[in-house]
Amino acid sequence: MSKTLQAIRGMNDILPEQTPLWRYFEGTVAGLLDGYGYRQIRMPIVEFTDLFKRSIGEVTDIVEKEMYTFEDRNGDSLTLRPEGTAACVRAVLEHGLSGGGQVQKLWYMGPMFRHERPQKGRYRQFHQIGLEVFNLDGPDIDAELIVLTWRLWKLLGIRDAVTLELNSLGTSEARGRYREALVEFLTAHLDQIDEDSQRRLKTNPLRVLDTKHPETQAVLVNAPKLADYLDDESRVHFDGLKARLDAAGIPYVINPKLVRGLDYYSKTVFEWVTDKLGAQGTVCAGGRYDGLVEQMGGKPTPGVGFAMGIERLILLLETLEQVPESISRQVDVYLCAFGEQAELAGLTLAERLRDEVPGLRLMVNAGAGSFKSQFKKADKSGALHALILGDDELAQQVVGFKPLRGQGEQQNIAWSALAGHLATCVVQG
Ligand code: HAM
């Protein structure tokens, strides 16, 4: 017996019942970003593997063990993008978008791929909406990114369920000095820290701060603090950001252990987290990456951005029951036609209504059928009203207008008056 075909583990179909919520979410974000003057960019899903190694960092979980990397027919090593920042920087450089100090405020949306262990809120193909800003180095733009996410949480009705965690990683020089102090401290406590942290100590010591291991965490209590090593420039930047968030009334928590899993960050890093989704509680995360463009072969160009995980935010909307009722109805009116002549007339009538009533969601019955079966389909479509066209109606140039939900009697409406009637009672309602 042949094996049933299945999607790859951790890669999900988004079914028709779910797409209205996705479209609502994506549309809300796109509208919000239009309002802040951000422009959309679309990058390929596959890039040369080297791009991710050079930007995300060789010694990160993503590059070490999570990338979908393969050789193409030319023998080039390619990788399904695990995130969007690297490709966005590549595109900006390739097309000279940041040249001459041009400010770019960009956003992108689409699938990302990481070979992680799938669980609720963590998938191997997942979707992000990301923002990247180039050539602005002040805390004002860091604040704008946070302010606009705050507005988004308000629009979506999830503001009370998310917390902003903030940290500053300092300039790369400051981080270098801190790294030395941390390595010295942890080396002196080597026998008390877990194996993975011992390995990270050699390769990427700051990631030890991220450990979930309780004994290592206990050791870290007395470790040197990154905040004590911050250079003046980073401190002023961080204070500037905090002052703006205070002014905007956005609450935040300073998390000195927040280091992020990608190597390109400097100065500001932040995460929006929720306790409503279990272990995968980070719904949006990012920070500043002032050295990345130069590291990738461009001129020194400050950059800052973040990405939100769409699946996690959709889960949060569902968990908090913040799914707007209006999105569940996808059909306003269902047209039933009985007999060949009525069907023909129905086709032209429907097209005319589509011309005359913008936004009308009109489904025309296909596959003929009895009264009973067409009404059943009309009802199942979720439509508010059915339009009925039979031989009698045809002769009188009217349609039967039948409410399918709630109160109201069926009435006949002249074809000439139908568009006006639908515009008031369906589209605006
Ligand atoms: P990231 O923290 O790796 O950052 O991912 C950002 C968000 O994507 C996470 O907070 C989470 O919501 C979602 N996410 C990540 N992995 C998964 C997964 N396996 N399943 C479901 N959702 C996931 C970045 O990707 C950076 N590029 C963000 C950035 C942009 N920094 C500066 N600019």
Side-chain angles (χ1 to χ4, degrees):
M1 215 171 71
S2 68
K3 209 174 146 220
T4 324
L5 292 173
Q6 281 185 338
I8 296 163
R9 192 162 116 83
M11 304 205 180
N12 300 308
D13 298 306
I14 300 159
L15 297 175
E17 292 80 62
Q18 299 163 302
T19 49
L21 183 52
W22 279 70
R23 289 179 60 182
Y24 157 72
F25 178 80
E26 291 162 355
T28 305
V29 181
L32 175 95
L33 295 178
D34 285 346
Y36 280 82
Y38 285 68
R39 297 186 302 156
Q40 192 184 17
I41 181 168
R42 301 184 185 201
M43 297 86 65
I45 285 171
V46 188
E47 298 271 355
F48 287 116
T49 304
D50 212 35
L51 173 70
F52 302 113
K53 287 192 177 167
R54 276 173 59 182
S55 53
I56 298 170
E58 297 258 11
V59 203
T60 53
D61 282 353
I62 295 180
V63 171
E64 275 187 339
K65 47 189 188 197
E66 295 172 1
M67 294 206 303
Y68 281 90
T69 296
F70 57 96
E71 239 182 49
D72 78 352
R73 288 170 193 274
N74 302 330
D76 290 323
S77 179
L78 306 183
T79 293
L80 295 183
R81 62 180 184 195
E83 57 105 53
T85 310
C88 188
V89 169
R90 198 255 324 125
V92 161
L93 277 178
E94 190 170 332
H95 301 287
L97 303 186
S98 63
Q102 277 177 86
V103 170
Q104 291 291 347
K105 294 184 171 186
L106 305 173
W107 71 276
Y108 51 83
M109 171 167 90
M112 309 288 160
F113 303 83
R114 297 184 194 175
H115 196 274
E116 297 191 80
R117 202 168 47 77
Q119 55 174 270
K120 181 183 169 193
R122 188 162 75 188
Y123 310 102
R124 290 182 173 170
Q125 174 177 321
F126 60 97
H127 297 76
Q128 285 184 344
I129 295 182
L131 275 71
E132 313 292 351
V133 179
F134 297 93
N135 278 318
L136 288 172
D137 60 6
D140 51 349
I141 188 67
D142 301 17
E144 175 173 287
L145 291 176
I146 290 171
V147 166
L148 73 81
T149 47
W150 180 245
R151 176 173 293 277
L152 178 64
W153 311 147
K154 281 193 278 185
L155 282 174
L156 296 171
I158 57 174
R159 190 185 74 170
D160 295 338
V162 287
T163 305
L164 174 62
E165 298 196 353
L166 272 188
N167 194 17
S168 175
L169 299 181
T171 57
S172 62
E173 297 78 42
R175 218 165 41 252
R177 283 196 302 277
Y178 174 67
R179 192 182 295 118
E180 273 175 34
L182 184 67
V183 169
E184 194 180 323
F185 172 86
L186 289 173
T187 310
H189 296 81
L190 205 58
D191 51 342
Q192 291 160 265
I193 65 175
D194 64 285
E195 232 173 78
D196 196 38
S197 295
Q198 289 182 5
R199 191 183 60 84
R200 282 179 170 178
L201 182 59
K202 294 205 189 76
T203 53
N204 197 349
L206 256 59
R207 291 303 308 277
V208 177
L209 299 179
D210 247 3
T211 183
K212 303 244 170 353
H213 203 274
E215 280 173 34
T216 309
Q217 274 181 350
V219 172
L220 284 172
V221 171
N222 299 314
K225 300 281 172 285
L226 182 53
D228 297 332
Y229 286 77
L230 276 196
D231 48 291
D232 285 345
E233 186 192 329
S234 303
R235 207 187 309 274
V236 170
H237 187 102
F238 201 37
D239 287 345
L241 172 59
K242 288 186 282 185
R244 283 169 175 83
L245 296 180
D246 292 338
I250 300 177
Y252 55 86
V253 176
I254 305 291
N255 176 357
K257 290 188 182 151
L258 183 65
V259 288
R260 309 273 301 123
L262 305 95
D263 276 357
Y264 47 61
Y265 293 108
S266 58
K267 294 187 179 159
T268 312
V269 286
F270 65 91
E271 292 191 350
W272 287 97
V273 295
T274 179
D275 58 6
K276 304 279 186 282
L277 295 180
Q280 305 306 316
T282 306
V283 292
C284 175
R288 186 160 273 288
Y289 47 85
D290 289 344
L292 181 59
V293 174
E294 195 180 2
Q295 190 186 313
M296 286 171 61
K299 297 219 168 68
T301 305
V304 59
F306 69 80
M308 52 187 124
I310 303 185
E311 282 82 355
R312 292 187 189 175
L313 283 158
I314 297 270
L315 273 172
L316 191 56
L317 289 173
E318 288 170 338
T319 307
L320 300 174
E321 297 182 0
Q322 289 296 334
V323 178
E325 227 168 85
S326 57
I327 67 164
S328 61
R329 185 165 50 80
Q330 289 175 58
V331 178
D332 298 316
V333 179
Y334 192 100
L335 186 127
C336 307
F338 304 98
E340 212 171 299
Q341 290 309 313
E343 235 181 64
L344 275 179
L347 177 68
T348 44
L349 181 64
E351 286 309 305
R352 211 180 75 206
L353 291 174
R354 290 190 175 103
D355 287 338
E356 291 175 357
V357 191
L360 178 69
R361 294 170 304 175
L362 169 62
M363 188 180 271
V364 177
N365 183 75
S370 65
F371 255 106
K372 202 171 153 199
S373 82
Q374 290 203 33
F375 278 132
K376 219 168 155 183
K377 287 196 273 179
D379 191 46
K380 211 170 156 213
S381 76
L384 290 176
H385 305 276
L387 299 182
I388 300 151
L389 200 53
D391 289 338
D392 289 351
E393 287 82 7
L394 201 55
Q396 296 172 51
Q397 305 236 319
V398 296
V399 290
F401 185 83
K402 180 178 164 65
L404 294 172
R405 333 252 146 221
Q407 306 295 315
E409 290 295 305
Q410 182 172 330
Q411 52 177 316
N412 280 346
I413 296 178
W415 291 355
S416 55
L418 193 54
H421 193 75
L422 290 177
T424 51
C425 78
V426 174
V427 177
Q428 285 163 18

